């Protein structure tokens, strides 16, 4: 993916770095293409040369014809070609590196290569042209074979082999130290790349721009010899958990057209904790050990608790759990007792609102005291109860002495 600020930047590498808390982390960012050196060769770092793979001799050997530096004159290697082949003198000004051949001969046929080299920027470009010599004027022309242009030239004529490149890197000189810059960005966890924080900018001229609080600028830095060695690594001292995130190293060489980005995902780990223990070794009388047998040490590790607060903390958890269980038990008992009381008590309000029908109750009249109840009229559900009631209301039988009446009549 490309950088948001420069769509042409290319991600070269992605590394995961894990460092221990409190240590120093080094994020390696190196590029020998970014080594800045002044042009002590009078701009001889740009060069163009023409080579020929002849089809006439069929020896498959590449022959160097001529070359030219941007700050010097062109050089022709063969005395035979001097005065008959040449390149424009202002080739590094207008970007026209075409080769002109005068009085072409049959031995000039073959594949020509126009090679552009920028040693400072490590750029190499090649343009190939095939030249065919003919003795028929009607065969003269140009074509494309899918890989390179093909020129058919008449023997004895003058031909121009095209090689044009007008990119600024071949035609202009720049102040390299003003166009080389490296900068570091940091993305905290969850922050997208376009909202990353800028940490530091370093120019080849020596200018440095640091961003953020003072303590952050002091713990994150790049060496002053970065452009001399090509080492732009970021060093983070006294690593903390807050330093976790995604870091990006951006290398920009505007003159050479270099735009690279390297990504580092930094994670901080806790240091290994050493267990405190008491080593108790046992001594006993035993036979001499066999030197061929490997024996382990009799060591007992006794772990000492870190502090008493740990014990009280665990005790508090147990007491709190026990208290919660007791409260829950009390609530269950109260609810159970209340439900039982509701089952035995009489709801006065409920029965006070209900009309009681005496007709639904059966009355046993056998135990009632005899009394006059002619005026009492009751309704009975069945004949048996009615008969029993009538028998209860009947008058008791009187004892009549029949002899007593007769005796009265016989008396004088």
């Amino acid at each position: 993916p490309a950088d948001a600020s420069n769509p042409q930047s290319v991600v070269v590498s992605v590394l995961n770095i894990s460092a221990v808390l409190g240590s120093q982390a080094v994020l390696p960012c190196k590029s020998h293409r970014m080594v800045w050196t002044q042009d002590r060769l009078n701009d001889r770092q740009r060069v163009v040369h023409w080579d020929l793979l002849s089809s006439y001799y069929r020896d498959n050997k590449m022959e160097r014809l001529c070359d030219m530096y941007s700050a010097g004159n062109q050089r022709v290697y063969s005395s035979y070609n001097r005065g008959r082949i040449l390149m424009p003198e202002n080739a590094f000004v207008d970007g026209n590196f075409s080769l002109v051949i005068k009085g072409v001969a049959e031995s000039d046929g073959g594949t020509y290569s126009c090679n552009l080299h920028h040693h400072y920027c490590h750029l190499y470009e090649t343009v190939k042209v095939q030249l065919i010599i003919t003795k028929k004027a009607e065969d003269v022309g140009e074509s494309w074979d899918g890989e390179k242009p093909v020129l058919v030239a008449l023997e004895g004529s003058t031909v121009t082999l095209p090689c044009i490149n007008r990119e600024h890197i071949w035609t202009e000189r720049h102040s390299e130290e003003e166009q080389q810059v490296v900068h570091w960005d940091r993305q905290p966890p969850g922050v997208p790349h376009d909202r990353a924080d800028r940490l530091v900018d370093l120019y080849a001229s020596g200018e440095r721009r640091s961003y953020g609080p003072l303590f952050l600028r002091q713990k994150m830095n790049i060496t002053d010899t970065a452009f001399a060695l090509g080492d732009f690594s970021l060093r983070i001292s006294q690593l903390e958990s807050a330093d976790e995130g995604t870091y990006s190293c951006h290398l920009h060489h505007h003159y050479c057209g270099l735009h690279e980005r390297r990504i580092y995902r930094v994670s901080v780990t806790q240091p290994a904790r050493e267990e405190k223990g008491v080593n108790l070794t046992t001594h006993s009388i035993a036979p001499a050990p066999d030197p061929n047998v490997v024996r382990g040490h009799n060591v007992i590790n006794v772990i000492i608790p870190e502090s008493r607060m740990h014990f009280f903390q665990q005790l508090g958890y147990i007491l709190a759990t026990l208290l919660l269980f007791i409260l829950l038990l009390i609530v269950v008992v109260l609810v159970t007792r209340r439900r039982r009381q509701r089952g035995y008590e009489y709801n006065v309000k409920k029965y006070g609102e209900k009309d009681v029908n005496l007709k639904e109750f059966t009355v046993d009249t056998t135990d009632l005291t005899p009394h006059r109840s002619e005026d009492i009229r009751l309704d009975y559900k069945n004949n048996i109860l009615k008969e029993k009631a009538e028998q209860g209301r009947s008058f008791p039988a009187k004892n009549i002495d029949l002899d007593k009446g007769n005796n009265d009549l016989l008396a004088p």
Side-chain angles (χ1 to χ4, degrees), residues 52-116:
L52 170 62
L53 180 62
S54 178
S55 61
Y56 180 77
Y57 299 103
R58 301 181 184 277
D59 53 2
N60 293 327
K61 292 182 179 180
M62 189 72 69
E63 179 187 1
R64 177 66 53 86
L65 300 177
C66 63
D67 58 24
M68 182 174 64
Y69 291 92
S70 58
N73 297 326
Q74 55 183 309
R75 176 176 52 180
V76 180
Y77 286 83
S78 175
S79 58
Y80 171 75
N81 291 325
R82 292 175 184 172
R84 62 183 297 267
I85 63 173
L86 57 94
M87 288 182 291
E89 295 181 357
N90 59 348
F92 285 98
V93 177
D94 60 3
N96 185 7
F97 305 95
S98 301
L99 180 66
V100 179
I101 305 176
K102 299 178 181 179
V104 293
E106 188 176 358
S107 59
D108 294 329
T111 302
Y112 290 77
S113 299
C114 173
N115 303 280
L116 294 172

Side-chain angles (χ1 to χ4, degrees), residues 140-184:
V140 176
E142 298 181 6
S143 61
W144 178 264
D145 64 354
E147 296 180 356
K148 57 186 179 299
V150 179
L151 276 67
V152 180
L154 186 62
E155 185 179 3
S157 63
T158 300
V159 65
T160 301
L161 306 181
C163 181
I164 299 175
N165 192 331
R166 292 191 169 90
E167 293 185 6
H168 71 278
I169 194 172
W170 303 108
T171 60
E172 300 177 5
R173 295 189 60 183
H174 297 271
S175 179
E176 291 90 349
E177 63 270 18
E178 296 179 358
Q179 300 199 31
Q180 287 179 259
V181 59
V182 55
H183 62 81
W184 279 87

Side-chain angles (χ1 to χ4, degrees), residues 399-411:
N399 295 324
I400 302 174
D401 189 0
L402 298 179
D403 294 335
K404 184 180 179 181
N406 295 329
N407 292 329
D408 292 339
L409 292 176
L410 296 178

Side-chain angles (χ1 to χ4, degrees), residues 261-367:
R261 179 159 58 104
R262 292 166 173 81
I263 300 176
Y264 309 86
R265 298 188 177 96
V266 178
S267 59
V268 180
T269 60
Q270 296 292 334
R273 302 179 63 180
E274 298 182 357
E275 294 183 352
K276 299 179 181 179
V278 178
N279 295 331
L280 302 178
T281 59
T282 59
H283 302 278
S284 61
I285 300 175
D290 188 356
N292 297 325
V293 179
V294 179
R295 300 180 182 273
H297 297 282
N298 297 326
V299 180
I300 301 176
N301 294 328
V302 180
I303 307 301
I304 300 177
E306 296 180 358
S307 63
R308 294 185 178 179
M309 292 300 298
H310 179 74
F311 171 78
F312 290 111
Q313 184 178 8
Q314 299 297 328
L315 181 61
Y317 291 154
I318 296 175
L319 293 178
T321 305
L322 183 60
L323 180 60
L324 181 61
F325 176 78
I326 293 174
L327 292 177
L328 182 61
L329 183 61
I330 293 174
V331 172
V332 172
V333 171
L334 292 177
V335 172
T336 305
R337 293 185 59 183
R338 188 168 185 85
R339 288 183 177 275
R340 289 181 178 178
Q341 291 177 359
R342 287 185 178 180
Y344 290 111
E345 71 178 357
Y346 177 77
N347 194 342
V348 180
K349 181 178 179 181
K350 178 178 179 181
Y351 289 99
E353 296 177 356
K354 184 176 179 181
D355 295 334
V356 180
N357 188 3
L358 297 176
K359 297 179 180 180
E360 297 179 359
F361 294 92
T362 304
V363 179
D364 189 2
T365 59
T366 57
D367 296 335

Side-chain angles (χ1 to χ4, degrees), residues 2-5 185 187 191-197 248 250 261 263:
D3 184 5
S5 60
D185 292 342
Q187 303 167 233
V191 176
H193 173 67
D194 55 353
R195 300 185 62 183
D197 299 328
S248 301
H250 301 260
R261 179 159 58 104
I263 300 176

